[in-house]
């Protein structure tokens, strides 16, 4: 009874104005929202686009055909399959259902369902997480009817939504259920290795949890190890771990060029098709690749610094509010964009994760401009390559330099929002507290 009474008191997203709602009403509204998402899901399946990037679709077909003739644990012995295992489990299941070359080729479009489900998963969890039955119920349409958000899964045929869904979910749970968040990040890492770019953000976000108990870092490690062992259990029991490790350490450097159609920083400096320009060329005695890494680390440090300072002085309980989760989502989104914008070898799809994180930020702050702007530039960038929408591809808004400038504007706006929100969360107080602690330590020594 006490728990029911506690749940009946629901707060709006800003947590400034308490609103009492009937628990039955909340559950009913949640069911209605889920029903709308399910209707949307099956409607999209009825009109599922048949487009896709030939190279990626060919991979899914070839890899599925491999599974019809070989056990799953031999997947990395083939030498040409370079994805972590999580998505490969779905390919294996697909090859069981469609167990011939003809069946695989004629039904490969249905594989898009997997990525589509993960597109919707963070939205479903958000409904349960914030229990805001008014604002989120209408704001969800900005996501559901956002072609840019679903283009990767439904038109391109890629699966970037999987690891980014895990990142978004980890962002929601990092302060309230840190062990679950750690496991979600491991699932993300086993979906696509680009997840590694965001791990420093979460390592910092775990600091308050680690400070509260010296054994918590051990608990996080155990949660991660057990999750990794679960994912790799077929390889552990039936062999193939060495081949998996070889794939993991050699999965970079496939395309040693400035850009794989990622319309980023490099298009502001060098004209032409950057997919034909080596990233090993030198500028001031340093390769373009190294310059990209240095720019990424420098820009990422500026983005993560406020989170680091707040994490050193705040407790987990102080960071469970919606503003803190929004701040973490914003920091993670900006880090993903910085990774995409400055590094070489980037694909056009690698900014995908920023969209759902900007959406999480927008849900908690009622600021959807970053989400909408990122979705738009992402849509234009991908369709400039795939050309599925038959747009006017000579228009100024579909030129690489223009798209690069839009990404830069989003990055600068996100920086501004991070530091403004950090000040609202007590950044000045955290700096003063750290300065005071440093002075005390200096005097004691």
């Amino acid at each position: 009874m006490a728990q029911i009474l506690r749940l009946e008191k629901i707060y709006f997203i800003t947590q400034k104005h308490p609103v009492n709602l009937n628990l039955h009403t909340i559950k009913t509204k949640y069911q209605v929202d889920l029903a709308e998402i399910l209707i949307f899901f099956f409607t999209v399946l009825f009109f599922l686009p048949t487009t896709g990037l030939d190279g990626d679709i060919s991979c899914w077909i070839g890899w599925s055909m491999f599974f019809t003739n070989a056990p799953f644990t031999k997947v990395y012995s083939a030498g040409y399959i370079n994805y972590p295992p999580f998505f490969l489990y779905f390919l294996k299941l697909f090859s069981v259902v469609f167990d011939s070359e003809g069946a695989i080729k004629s039904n490969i479009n249905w594989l898009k369902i997997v990525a589509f489900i993960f597109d919707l998963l963070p939205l479903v969890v958000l409904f349960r997480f914030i229990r805001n039955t008014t604002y989120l119920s209408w704001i969800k349409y900005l996501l559901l009817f956002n072609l840019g958000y679903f283009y990767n899964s439904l038109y391109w045929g890629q699966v970037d939504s999987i690891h980014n869904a895990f990142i978004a979910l980890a962002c929601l749970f990092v302060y309230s259920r840190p062990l679950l968040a750690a496991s979600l990040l491991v699932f993300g890492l086993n979906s696509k290795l680009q997840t590694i770019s965001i791990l420093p953000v979460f390592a910092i976000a775990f600091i308050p949890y680690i400070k509260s108990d010296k054994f918590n870092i051990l608990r996080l490690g155990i949660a991660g190890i057990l999750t990794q062992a679960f994912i790799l259990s077929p390889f552990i029991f039936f062999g193939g771990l060495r081949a998996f490790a070889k794939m993991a350490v050699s999965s970079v450097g496939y395309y040693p060029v400035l850009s794989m159609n990622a319309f980023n920083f490099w298009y502001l400096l060098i004209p032409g098709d950057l997919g034909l320009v080596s990233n090993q060329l030198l500028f001031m005695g340093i390769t373009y690749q190294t310059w990209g890494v240095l720019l990424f680390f420098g820009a990422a440090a500026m983005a993560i610094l406020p989170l680091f300072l707040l994490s050193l002085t705040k407790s987990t309980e102080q960071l469970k509010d919606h503003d803190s989760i929004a701040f973490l989502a914003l920091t993670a989104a900006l880090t993903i964009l910085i990774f995409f914008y400055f590094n070489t070898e980037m694909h056009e799809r690698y900014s995908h994760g920023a969209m759902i994180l900007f959406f999480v930020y927008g849900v908690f702050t009622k600021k959807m401009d970053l989400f909408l702007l990122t979705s738009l530039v992402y849509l234009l960038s991908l369709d400039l390559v795939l050309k599925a929408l038959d747009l006017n591809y000579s228009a100024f808004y579909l030129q690489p330099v223009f798209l690069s400038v839009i990404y830069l504007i989003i990055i600068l706006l996100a920086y501004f929002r991070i530091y403004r929100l950090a000040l609202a969360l007590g950044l000045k107080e955290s700096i003063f507290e750290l300065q005071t602690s440093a002075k005390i330590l200096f005097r004691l020594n």
Side-chain angles (χ1 to χ4, degrees):
M1 177 62 71
Q3 185 177 7
I4 293 176
L5 291 174
R6 180 171 60 85
L7 286 173
E8 285 182 327
K9 192 173 184 180
I10 307 298
Y11 289 87
F12 272 121
I13 201 167
T14 57
Q15 293 187 323
K16 295 178 180 178
H17 305 288
V19 177
N20 291 316
L21 298 173
N22 181 271
L23 183 60
H24 175 72
T25 302
I26 294 169
K27 288 183 177 179
T28 302
K29 191 67 179 74
Y30 178 65
Q31 292 168 355
V32 171
D33 290 325
L34 282 184
E36 290 181 358
I37 294 175
L38 284 174
I39 292 171
F40 173 80
F41 175 79
F42 287 108
T43 302
V44 170
L45 293 192
F46 188 77
F47 297 100
L48 191 65
T50 57
T51 58
L53 190 75
D54 290 340
D56 290 335
I57 301 303
S58 296
C59 283
W60 308 156
I61 293 173
W63 297 359
S64 297
M65 289 173 56
F66 170 85
F67 287 129
T68 63
N69 300 308
F72 182 80
T73 53
K74 298 295 183 182
V75 59
Y76 296 116
S77 301
Y80 57 86
I81 299 178
N82 57 2
Y83 269 39
F86 186 76
F87 174 62
L88 300 182
Y89 285 116
F90 289 100
L91 280 182
K92 175 62 178 178
L93 179 61
F94 183 80
S95 70
V96 171
V97 177
F98 305 104
D99 57 356
S100 68
E101 180 178 350
I104 289 172
K105 288 182 177 180
S106 60
N107 291 281
I108 196 65
N109 199 54
W110 293 111
L111 194 63
K112 293 177 180 178
I113 295 175
V114 176
F116 187 36
I117 290 173
F118 280 91
D119 277 323
L120 296 172
L121 182 59
L123 181 61
V124 174
V125 175
L126 268 173
F127 275 115
R128 297 296 293 175
F129 191 83
I130 68 172
R131 292 185 177 265
N132 187 315
T133 60
T134 303
Y135 178 66
L136 187 57
S137 291
W138 70 263
I139 207 68
K140 70 176 181 288
Y141 298 120
L142 290 181
L143 185 144
L144 293 180
F145 298 106
N146 189 316
L147 183 59
Y149 180 68
F150 293 106
Y151 191 96
N152 180 287
S153 302
L154 301 182
Y155 283 85
W156 191 285
Q158 254 289 349
V159 293
D160 295 275
S161 63
I162 298 178
H163 74 284
N164 288 309
F166 285 127
I167 291 172
L169 295 178
C171 185
L172 292 174
F173 290 111
V174 69
Y175 296 127
S176 59
R177 301 184 66 181
L179 298 183
L180 173 60
S183 294
L184 289 168
L185 289 172
V186 174
F187 271 104
L189 195 60
N190 282 272
S191 302
K192 281 208 172 181
L193 293 176
Q194 291 98 301
T195 305
I196 198 170
S197 67
I198 206 69
L199 293 185
V201 174
F202 284 94
I204 291 172
F206 283 129
I207 288 177
Y209 176 67
I210 295 171
K211 288 191 306 178
S212 64
D213 188 327
K214 62 182 179 181
F215 291 108
N216 281 345
I217 189 171
L218 182 61
R219 294 185 179 98
L220 288 171
I222 292 174
I225 291 171
L226 289 177
T227 305
Q228 186 65 59
F230 171 74
I231 296 171
L232 294 180
S233 55
F235 302 97
I236 294 173
F237 292 111
F238 303 106
L241 269 180
R242 181 173 296 179
F244 164 78
K246 182 180 179 180
M247 179 280 302
V249 299
S250 61
S251 59
V252 294
Y254 282 113
Y255 307 102
V257 294
L258 282 184
S259 174
M260 291 295 294
N261 296 316
F263 305 123
N264 53 18
F265 167 77
W266 297 100
Y267 276 91
L268 299 180
L269 301 181
I270 301 172
D273 184 357
L274 302 193
L276 302 176
V277 181
S278 171
N279 64 358
Q280 298 304 305
L281 296 176
L282 299 178
F283 176 72
M284 297 178 62
I286 301 175
T287 65
Y288 287 151
Q289 181 184 35
T290 303
W291 276 116
V293 173
L294 292 174
L295 288 169
F296 163 64
F297 279 126
M302 290 175 59
I304 298 173
L305 180 61
L307 176 66
F308 178 67
L309 296 174
L310 288 170
S311 297
L312 288 176
T313 57
K314 301 286 185 179
S315 67
T316 302
E317 292 300 319
Q318 291 175 304
L319 294 170
K320 287 182 179 179
D321 62 286
H322 291 158
D323 283 343
S324 296
I325 298 173
F327 178 68
L328 176 61
L330 181 59
T331 303
L334 179 56
T335 304
I336 288 175
L337 279 186
I338 290 170
F339 178 79
F340 159 84
Y341 198 70
F342 289 111
N343 279 303
T344 62
E345 302 183 53
M346 294 292 102
H347 289 254
E348 61 287 300
R349 300 174 286 103
Y350 287 5
S351 61
H352 185 278
M355 285 188 293
I356 187 59
L357 290 167
F358 279 143
F359 182 78
V360 172
Y361 162 77
V363 166
F364 288 128
T365 62
K366 297 186 179 180
K367 293 181 174 68
M368 283 290 172
D369 51 349
L370 287 171
F371 166 68
L372 294 175
L373 191 56
T374 305
S375 301
L376 177 60
V377 69
Y378 186 76
L379 170 64
L380 296 176
S381 297
L382 264 64
D383 196 62
L384 182 56
V385 178
L386 186 62
K387 294 180 171 55
L389 302 181
D390 196 24
L391 302 175
N392 178 11
Y393 297 105
S394 62
F396 76 93
Y397 55 83
L398 282 168
Q399 303 310 306
V401 173
F402 179 83
L403 296 172
S404 177
V405 170
I406 299 301
Y407 271 121
L408 180 59
I409 291 172
I410 295 170
I411 289 172
L412 294 176
L413 180 57
Y415 269 118
F416 173 75
R417 294 276 178 82
I418 280 179
Y419 278 86
R420 187 170 68 173
L421 187 52
L423 290 173
L425 290 171
L427 180 61
K428 287 183 178 180
E429 292 79 359
S430 294
I431 294 173
F432 178 77
E433 183 178 337
L434 291 170
Q435 288 176 335
T436 303
S437 300
K439 289 178 182 179
I440 291 173
L441 288 174
F442 180 77
R443 288 172 184 174
L444 289 176
N445 293 330

